[in-house]
Amino acid sequence: MRIPRLLTILGPAAVLYILAARASSDTASSPEWLVAGLSLALALTPIAVLRARSGRRISVLASMGVSLAIALASAHTASPLLRGTHDVAWLFAVLLMMDLALPRQSSPLLRYGALAGLAFCSITAAAFAHSGLLPAHAFALAVVAGLFAIGALHQVVLVGRGHAVEGALSGVAIVSLGVGLAYAWIGSLSGALATTVELAVAWLLWLGHLAWVDPRWRSLRRVGVPAVVASASSFLAAYAFAPSAPLARWELGIGALASGVIWWLSFSLARRFSERSVWTTSGRLADAVAAARRNLVGSTTVEAIATSVLEPLQTGRADQTAGPELYAFEPPLRIRLEPGGRAAFRSAEAPPVITAACFEGDVQSVLDLVTLLPRVVREPPLRELVDFMQSRSIGAVLPCVHLDHLEGVLLLPLAQRSEPLSRTELDELGRLGAALGGALASALAQRRAESHIHRLDELRRRAEERITSLEGEIDQLRGQCDVLGRGLAEDQTLHVAYSPSMRRVQTRAIELAPTEDPILLIAAAGSPVLPVSRFIHDRGPRWESPFVVADCSASAPDDVMSLLFGSEQGRIGWFHSATGGTLLLRDLPALPSEAQSRLAAALEEHSNDTGPSPPRLIATSRRALDQLRSEGALFGGLDACFLGAELRIPSLRERREDVPSLALLAIDRACRVLGRDPIGIEQPAMRALVDHDWPGDVAELELVIELAVAKARGKTIALADLPPLAWPGTDEHDSLEGTYIEVERRLLERALRRSGGNKSQAARRLGLKRTTFLDKLRRYGLAERASEDVSDRAVG
């Protein structure tokens, strides 16, 4: 913008200097006030473009206005210096007009070659005319010929853009202005009339180019230029036909009426012509876009909006092979016109490459294919967009924006277009994009609401189906847990109650079953805590709910919390799996302190809650509650949950009356496990079993019976088939304390040690088949250790 700002000072100064020289020469043949006023006004024209977008064309237009002002200020004088200034200023103005008329994509060689050719011809004509080789008006003819060339150039450019009629009208307009300028210079016009015609031509040329270059002055084509043309036409008509003699009043009235009619007809024709003149370069596209924007007024539905916009754009195209398309983003719609003029809707997303280009750049800028083509070399990512637009014959993409939100895009097929969109076209498209964006936002609001409601309804339906499925899975899992619990509890040991102590256990269990209070079972290692727990569950109000068994000592302390209450990964804990049922926690003191505190808090929280019923807790311990409290083995108030709800299970040595029946049950089970026919037991063997103290309780008895059944070769178990019930040198470490699994593991290890690592001999010691023995070793992970022990002894 430096040149226009500079010209706002230098232009009026130069014109004032020339006017001063003109006044001092006193050789002017035209009204001084008219020349001074209009030339100074033209000198101030750079002010009109100060707020326009900066660019080369704005500077050229400002220079053109100052050149025309200097030409007018020095017009029609007898001073040779001022005449030369007049001719040079007009030549410079014509060169600037040709520079504006040349397409932007013209190569520098073509542009500067054409300008240099016109300048050379004009200067050569002036030199030859000064030498007498050409007529005196040769220079003026060269300048007028330049105007004719500009008119032809305008026509070629517009025809190349597909505007044949507009190009012809623009060419005729420029040629007409050139003819008027020629008459003012070398024709029959002289004096004030010649000056007036030259002033009118200069002003029309500059105003037209102003409306062409700067869209803010587009109103000139509708009011300014037509008013000047109408006034000039009325003046010329009055000057040509007015008689020299005085007129009567009625003759003056008729003349005034005729002048008004001429002015109105000239204004109407000039306005119609100006709307399609060269400086607008709007053509069919701008007219169609303006018509589409006017049609949008009052359109409230998507159908009405699509028809009002697409129909003018469809009829305003020179190429009828492809039509415009309108895409809406939310909900995704593609709208185009059918051959009958009816809008066709289809649920489809906008092309991804178009959507990406709109969101990456300025959301309100129009994507012009002709403008994008030269940028592909500098910006390779544009290659995909350009290829797509060329394959679909898309000349421009118009974003439809409302409140900085992209509502959709309008694809315009501008086939065979070689020039970029003009300022007028871009301005019209920008107005249409804003109007169309607001209309789409309003019309699609109902569709979006319906789409969101449908989507939420679909999500709700899927959630309900998922909830139903999960509830079914939960019921299935609870059923599996229930079946598993029943399978584990199908043990008849509790029904063997010939001893008074065991009958008291049954009575106490029946009393505790209907209650909801937690129960603490105190039993030695190997006692039948599982059958007792199941007995209480089956006779309580929760007999149809899950029965979950959890071994607190079987997991690492770090994993117990997630196993008991679940984890963020979706694992369901023991506590929640037993909701509404019974949770059996074996070896409760093995729970870490944090888990005990949280368990007590969970029981307290669920007891005051109105939600799902918490599980009933049955815990086992090898020591009494008072002893656990004195030793601090229970934390977080968990000990208070079991006050008054203890049940001690007597050891097997305290109820020897039950040993025969338990031994027979164990023999039956061992025969089924080992796959052999049922066998009996001899009386000496039974007496040995009854006399034994059974430190491992029922679990030890079942293990001894299983070993004896495996060793027995006859139909009864003899005393010799029993494994040693007391080994010499047995210390506390080798006792049968612990669970059944722990006792069996220690027996296997002891047999291996006594056999020196010989697996076959160890199997014979235990009365097992070698395959059964090896299977037990693998089950407990002792096979590799046995091999390592043998290797160490061999090396040693």
Side-chain angles (χ1 to χ4, degrees):
M1 297 298 294
R2 293 181 179 178
I3 293 179
R5 292 182 185 276
L6 186 63
L7 291 177
T8 56
I9 301 174
L10 297 182
V15 171
L16 288 174
Y17 179 80
I18 294 174
L19 290 176
R22 179 188 183 95
S24 63
S25 65
D26 196 19
T27 57
S29 61
S30 59
E32 298 299 327
W33 61 268
L34 181 64
V35 173
L38 293 182
S39 59
L40 278 174
L42 266 177
L44 295 172
T45 52
I47 300 177
V49 296
L50 287 179
R51 293 179 58 189
R53 297 180 181 178
S54 61
R56 180 175 175 276
R57 294 197 165 200
I58 297 299
S59 301
V60 172
L61 181 63
S63 303
M64 175 184 168
V66 173
S67 299
L68 290 174
I70 293 175
L72 294 180
S74 58
H76 300 281
T77 63
S79 171
L81 179 61
L82 292 180
R83 286 202 306 270
T85 303
H86 170 268
D87 295 343
V88 172
W90 261 109
L91 174 61
F92 192 66
V94 171
L95 290 175
L96 293 175
M97 280 186 272
M98 179 172 286
D99 183 63
L100 288 174
L102 286 171
R104 296 183 183 181
Q105 307 302 324
S106 301
S107 63
L109 180 62
L110 176 61
R111 179 179 296 275
Y112 295 115
L115 296 178
L118 177 59
F120 177 77
C121 292
S122 301
I123 295 173
T124 302
F128 285 172
H130 187 267
S131 306
L133 299 178
L134 289 176
H137 301 294
F139 177 81
L141 292 175
V143 174
V144 172
L147 279 177
F148 290 167
I150 294 172
L153 182 61
H154 287 161
Q155 183 175 1
V156 170
V157 170
L158 289 180
V159 171
R161 295 178 179 176
H163 311 309
V165 177
E166 291 82 348
L169 292 176
S170 298
V172 171
I174 296 296
V175 171
S176 300
L177 292 177
V179 171
L181 184 63
Y183 268 94
W185 282 2
I186 58 178
S188 58
L189 303 179
S190 61
L193 181 59
T195 302
T196 303
V197 171
E198 186 173 350
L199 291 172
V201 170
W203 268 100
L204 285 174
L205 287 174
W206 192 85
L207 290 175
H209 285 84
L210 174 64
W212 177 24
V213 174
D214 190 354
R216 295 183 300 109
W217 296 94
R218 288 178 57 232
S219 59
L220 288 173
R221 73 179 187 181
R222 297 182 178 178
V223 180
V225 174
V228 172
V229 173
S231 301
S233 300
S234 299
F235 174 78
L236 291 176
Y239 183 84
F241 298 106
S244 57
L247 298 177
R249 291 185 177 181
W250 65 272
E251 292 175 336
L252 288 175
I254 293 176
L257 179 62
S259 298
V261 172
I262 293 174
W263 190 94
W264 177 251
L265 292 177
S266 301
F267 181 84
S268 301
L269 293 175
R271 184 172 183 176
R272 181 182 297 270
F273 165 76
S274 179
E275 288 180 350
R276 296 178 176 272
S277 59
V278 64
W279 45 76
T280 64
T281 65
S282 58
R284 296 178 179 176
L285 177 60
D287 293 340
V289 172
R293 184 163 54 86
R294 290 193 298 269
N295 292 344
L296 274 177
V297 179
S299 300
T300 57
T301 63
V302 181
E303 293 79 2
I305 292 173
T307 304
S308 61
V309 172
L310 297 179
E311 186 174 357
L313 297 176
Q314 179 88 357
T315 57
R317 294 182 303 108
D319 181 17
Q320 300 294 331
T321 58
E325 293 182 347
L326 177 62
Y327 284 90
F329 287 144
E330 188 181 357
L333 292 175
R334 189 192 74 176
I335 313 172
R336 60 190 311 177
L337 286 182
E338 294 180 345
R342 183 178 179 182
F345 290 80
R346 181 181 177 184
S347 180
E349 299 281 353
V353 63
I354 297 292
T355 305
C358 292
F359 280 107
E360 289 176 359
D362 184 4
V363 73
Q364 297 182 347
S365 62
V366 180
L367 300 178
D368 184 11
L369 178 61
V370 179
T371 305
L372 293 175
L373 281 172
R375 296 170 51 189
V376 173
V377 179
R378 302 189 305 270
E379 304 176 41
L382 293 176
R383 169 61 62 186
E384 183 180 1
L385 174 62
V386 170
D387 292 343
F388 177 80
M389 295 178 67
Q390 288 178 333
S391 63
R392 295 278 298 272
S393 299
I394 300 173
V397 177
L398 174 62
C400 305
V401 183
H402 178 64
L403 299 179
D404 294 332
H405 179 70
L406 192 60
E407 301 288 344
V409 290
L410 180 63
L411 308 185
L412 301 174
L414 305 177
Q416 300 179 354
R417 185 185 182 96
S418 58
E419 287 291 320
L421 296 172
S422 65
R423 294 280 185 182
T424 302
E425 291 169 331
L426 291 175
D427 185 59
E428 286 287 358
L429 288 173
R431 295 171 183 265
L432 177 61
L436 185 55
L440 285 177
S442 177
L444 292 176
Q446 182 65 25
R447 284 179 176 258
R448 289 173 181 170
E450 294 175 356
S451 177
H452 289 168
I453 292 174
H454 177 73
R455 190 179 306 170
L456 291 175
D457 186 67
E458 181 68 17
L459 292 175
R460 180 187 60 79
R461 185 183 61 81
R462 292 180 180 177
E464 290 178 352
E465 292 178 355
R466 181 61 177 166
I467 290 173
T468 304
S469 175
L470 291 176
E471 288 178 349
E473 293 180 6
I474 291 174
D475 292 340
Q476 183 179 3
L477 289 174
R478 286 182 175 176
Q480 292 175 357
C481 291
D482 184 61
V483 171
L484 178 61
R486 291 183 183 275
L488 292 173
E490 286 177 358
D491 195 326
Q492 302 298 320
T493 55
L494 184 61
H495 299 288
V496 178
Y498 298 104
S499 61
S501 60
M502 202 62 191
R503 284 197 294 269
R504 286 194 297 270
V505 170
Q506 285 185 335
T507 303
R508 181 59 175 165
I510 293 174
E511 293 174 355
L512 294 175
T515 65
E516 297 286 341
D517 299 330
I519 301 174
L520 181 62
L521 301 181
I522 304 171
S527 297
V529 293
L530 188 59
V532 174
S533 303
R534 188 70 204 200
F535 181 86
I536 296 173
H537 172 77
D538 290 341
R539 283 156 182 77
R542 306 182 179 217
W543 64 275
E544 291 183 336
S545 300
F547 178 79
V548 179
V549 180
D551 192 345
C552 301
S553 62
S555 304
D558 297 337
D559 300 334
V560 170
M561 187 70 76
S562 61
L563 291 173
L564 182 58
F565 295 102
S567 62
E568 297 180 355
Q569 289 73 24
R571 176 191 295 174
I572 300 177
W574 300 330
F575 191 86
H576 297 287
S577 298
T579 299
T582 302
L583 174 61
L584 172 61
L585 292 179
R586 302 185 63 166
D587 296 325
L588 178 65
L591 278 180
S593 57
E594 296 180 359
Q596 292 187 25
S597 301
R598 184 172 175 182
L599 178 61
L603 291 174
E604 179 67 22
E605 177 183 355
H606 283 280
S607 64
N608 300 328
D609 213 359
T610 59
S613 176
R616 182 183 188 180
L617 183 62
I618 299 179
T620 69
S621 173
R622 301 182 188 181
R623 287 171 292 177
L625 180 62
D626 295 338
Q627 186 179 358
L628 294 175
R629 296 176 65 180
S630 62
E631 295 176 355
L634 296 181
F635 301 89
L638 191 59
D639 53 346
C641 299
F642 300 103
L643 293 177
E646 293 182 84
L647 178 58
R648 180 179 178 277
I649 301 176
S651 61
L652 193 55
R653 61 177 170 268
E654 298 176 13
R655 51 188 186 108
R656 297 183 186 273
E657 300 93 330
D658 299 333
V659 172
S661 298
L662 293 176
L664 293 177
L665 290 176
I667 291 172
D668 179 68
R669 178 182 178 184
C671 289
R672 287 186 283 111
V673 170
L674 297 177
R676 61 177 300 175
D677 295 334
I679 62 175
I681 184 170
E682 297 180 358
Q683 193 62 31
M686 180 63 77
R687 283 198 299 270
L689 295 177
V690 173
D691 295 338
H692 186 54
D693 287 340
W694 302 110
D697 213 86
V698 176
E700 181 186 359
L701 174 62
E702 292 176 347
L703 177 59
V704 169
I705 293 297
E706 184 177 352
L707 296 176
V709 171
K711 185 177 181 181
R713 295 294 179 262
K715 293 185 178 182
T716 58
I717 299 175
L719 182 60
D721 295 330
L722 295 176
L725 297 180
W727 290 273
T730 299
D731 53 13
E732 183 180 358
H733 177 73
D734 292 332
S735 67
L736 293 179
E737 283 193 16
T739 64
Y740 170 81
I741 296 174
E742 295 170 349
V743 172
E744 186 176 25
R745 180 187 179 93
R746 286 200 296 270
L747 286 176
L748 296 174
E749 291 176 341
R750 180 180 298 159
L752 282 172
R753 286 197 301 269
R754 293 187 177 183
S755 303
N758 190 318
K759 298 177 183 178
S760 299
Q761 185 177 353
R764 285 194 296 270
R765 279 180 175 273
L766 294 177
L768 297 175
K769 295 181 181 179
R770 190 175 187 275
T771 55
T772 304
F773 181 76
L774 294 177
D775 181 64
K776 290 181 178 293
L777 289 181
R778 284 191 296 270
R779 189 185 311 164
Y780 292 107
L782 299 175
E784 296 181 359
R785 288 183 54 185
S787 301
E788 293 174 0
D789 293 343
V790 173
S791 301
D792 293 341
R793 292 189 184 94
V795 174

